[in-house]
Amino acid sequence: MSVAWLTAVGASDIDTVGGKAASLGELTEHGLPIPDGFTVTAGAYRRFITETEIAEELFEAIDIDVEDSRALAEAEQQARKLILDAPWPDEIRSDVLSAFDDLGEDSVVAVRSSATAEDLPDASFAGQQDTYLNITREELLDRIKRCWASLFTQRALYYREEQGFDHAEVDIAVVVQRMVDADKSGVLFTSHPSTGERQLTVEAAWGLGEAVVSGSVSPDHYTYDRETDAVESVTVSTKKVMHVRDPETGETVETEVPEAKRDERVLSDDELHDLSEIGELVEEHYGEPQDVEWAISNGSIYLLQSRPITTIDAEAGDEGTKTAGTPDGQDDSVLVDGLGASPGTATGTVRVVGTLDQLDKVNQGDIIVTEMTTPDMVPAMKRAGALVTDEGGMTSHAAIVSRELGVPAVVGAETGTSTLTDDQLVSVDGDRGIVADGQQAPASDGDAESQQSAAGPSGPAAKPMTATDVKVNVSIPEAAERAASTGADGVGLLRMEHMVLSTNETPAHYVANHGEDAFVSSLVDGMRTVAEAFYPRPVRIRTLDAPTDEFRKLEGGEDEPAEHNPMLGYRGIRRSLDEPETFRLQLRAFQKLYEMGYDNVELMFPLVNDGEDVRRAREQMEAVGIDPDKRDWGAMVETPASALCAEDICEAGVDFVSFGTNDLTQYTLAVDRNNGTVADRYDELHPAVVRLMRETIATCRDHDVATSICGQAASNPKMIQELVDAGISSISVNVDAAHDAQREAKRVEQHLILESVRE
């Protein structure tokens, strides 16, 4: 059988028609709006390579060491040539053209690859085979061959080898569907791709969806609450270009969006409602959240593809959103993927940074590709158009700083530094966690505007009224203005260590070279920048908490102790108390700010274990002239010890405590949050962690001490629900999560009020 119509296939036919076609057949059978079409079966592909007698030579050509990049490139070229040069067997050719004619001789179609090992729960293979749009009868046979040949791209060969799939056993089918001449199109997730919340997320742009997935346009972004059946948020981007079918040539071309429509909202509330209903039907049919491509033509919605969202179970609550599969249109251009750690898109030139002395080669707008970042890389990160790291998760330095700077970032890409090369043009999508060939998304003078829109707010935002204060975390002073524009109630965490580490000298080395006053002034300058941006809103600044391995990389770091596990070592308040001279310099910076009139500054001590730690720190405050009874100050609860000693800490005189869930979770569960081997065990919502926080909140409320959370978990809606319900005073989230946190806090508070009225 060379051809199978979509109306006649379903989930049980993956071996015959591939994952994509099987999914489309399933949706067609259940009455969902799928464009008419058929599949050139996997059997037709197998017959083609057999009857043309190229099979043996084909599989010999790809029998290589995939770690040898030159051999990999040669294998792709040879396989492609064998397939494209081979003649069509008459019977298969006749079957395909006959099916096309049944669609209508003047039809224009989309031709999509559908591999038999594609869109599977444990190996999606998405983004590896080709798609062609606006194809005529004359072009059809050539495009089908090209889809077959795309089974042997370098990326596909490498991925199958890594996944343990036998190249000779993987077949490929091709979907041929009537082309939807879309007025608007995009992608939707039926549930939140990282938390699993019943929230529809939609990206939309004018014209064909290729513009959205290729990164050539910054799409509108919508969220729709499926529980309340209402639009939750709307972010309208400036959409300067769109992809359409050229009426003269029939080809897909990029054209400018008419001026009047560039800043116009693409989707109405009614269309979002309709998309939500259709998405719910798809999710209900498959029994799990779906990633769906859609298009609207003449007011009718069409579904072009659906696949499972594979990120929820693996990533919910601890890591970021790994791309759930690359939509068609950008398939062959994806070079590496990882976790989308900071939203937005950027196209630029790669600069692979292996050592700190290579940072000078990073120019404005370049794409930094590195194994991992350190605080001394921040100046270069400010210049960068985007960031790609091999290692790290959503709590890594790269992720946190990139979000605050508004720089798109993909972390945990694993092979970024080995796959990407200097001077290579790439496009980075920080929402979906992919790095693609930049030739398909060329930079333009207007890119900055659309990237800014995608990356975050650019002006003051209206804040929902909540009893729970919603604050933001700030790592570096340069991010203060952007953070303040969120309308947050203040800063729940400003990290002093980034100000120190950015000098590229340890405190002792800096003081020896420049003097104590210069050290204090450097801290005051950074702290004042944030205090000024937020005044009179409170700014909570944490004293130095840098592990020794970070200090060792700085000038003067050779004197740092070598520790087996620096996260459990000489850091936080324990180091400050052991080095009172340096500690007092930090505290002098606070006192100087108070003298300058910045009464919105609050002082916070990290990694305390008990009341004794707090009392000793209080003595140091008094030694530099800070009156603990007149200034707001507190401690972080980052260890089980500090949570269990909450009453003792309260009695030491603090005004607040703040949960650092990154450390509290890893210390409670004995899981290193930066160790990918055990990352699946890292769960900030583990009952033990939640219990420690709830009991601490209850103790603090008894002592009239405010409570806050400033760890990564504060951005998780489930954590917000837990802690607002427990009576927490404030939550502090990453800058990019501020608006969502404000809405979630308001929703939980309204629910609690409603429940109390009902009782």
Side-chain angles (χ1 to χ4, degrees), residues 146-308:
R146 292 182 183 277
C147 284
W148 287 342
S150 70
L151 191 62
F152 304 102
T153 62
Q154 296 179 54
R155 183 169 185 256
L157 290 171
Y158 187 91
Y159 187 77
R160 284 201 298 275
E161 193 76 25
E162 290 293 296
Q163 294 290 325
F165 282 79
D166 186 343
H167 299 299
E169 296 299 319
V170 176
D171 290 335
I172 185 169
V174 178
V175 177
V176 179
Q177 280 181 289
R178 193 185 302 277
M179 187 72 198
V180 176
D181 193 9
D183 304 311
K184 54 187 77 171
S185 54
V187 180
L188 69 84
F189 293 98
T190 61
S191 293
H192 193 288
S194 60
T195 68
E197 291 293 310
R198 287 176 57 80
Q199 178 194 70
L200 189 78
T201 302
V202 183
E203 288 190 339
W206 304 114
L208 302 174
E210 191 177 14
V212 175
V213 298
S214 69
S216 61
V217 65
S218 179
D220 287 359
H221 184 88
Y222 308 86
T223 58
Y224 190 91
D225 191 329
R226 291 170 55 191
E227 297 291 348
T228 61
D229 201 26
V231 177
E232 194 170 57
S233 70
V234 177
T235 302
V236 178
S237 299
T238 299
K239 301 163 288 292
K240 296 185 177 181
V241 298
M242 60 181 177
H243 288 188
V244 298
R245 180 174 184 265
D246 187 320
E248 295 184 4
T249 66
E251 296 179 352
T252 302
V253 296
E254 182 177 283
T255 185
E256 291 187 357
V257 174
E259 191 74 35
K261 296 180 68 174
R262 290 187 178 184
D263 294 304
E264 182 181 326
R265 176 174 165 176
V266 175
L267 294 175
S268 67
D269 285 2
D270 288 342
E271 287 171 326
L272 285 167
H273 173 76
D274 292 343
L275 282 169
S276 177
E277 286 193 335
I278 292 176
E280 195 154 334
L281 289 173
V282 177
E283 181 176 294
E284 183 179 309
H285 171 67
Y286 284 112
E288 60 182 328
Q290 296 287 301
D291 169 3
V292 181
E293 294 176 46
W294 56 269
I296 296 178
S297 178
N298 295 322
S300 298
I301 297 175
Y302 296 91
L303 303 188
L304 307 179
Q305 185 173 331
S306 183
R307 60 169 68 92

Side-chain angles (χ1 to χ4, degrees), residues 582-630:
T582 301
F583 189 29
R584 288 177 185 174
L585 294 179
Q586 298 173 47
L587 297 175
R588 275 178 53 190
F590 282 92
Q591 177 61 6
K592 195 166 183 179
L593 283 172
Y594 296 142
E595 292 172 354
M596 295 168 69
Y598 290 101
D599 53 6
N600 62 327
V601 170
E602 301 177 346
L603 196 161
M604 181 163 64
F605 300 120
L607 210 66
V608 304
N609 270 346
D610 47 41
E612 180 61 22
D613 281 343
V614 176
R615 281 184 280 271
R616 291 179 61 192
R618 175 178 178 140
E619 290 172 359
Q620 295 296 327
M621 290 172 59
E622 294 171 332
V624 300
I626 299 175
D627 187 343
D629 295 326
K630 293 183 179 179

Side-chain angles (χ1 to χ4, degrees), residues 484-505:
S485 73
T486 62
D489 292 307
V491 175
L493 174 62
L494 172 60
R495 300 168 172 87
M496 182 180 284
E497 58 265 22
H498 287 295
M499 303 175 211
V500 174
L501 298 176
S502 65
T503 67
N504 201 34
E505 297 181 68

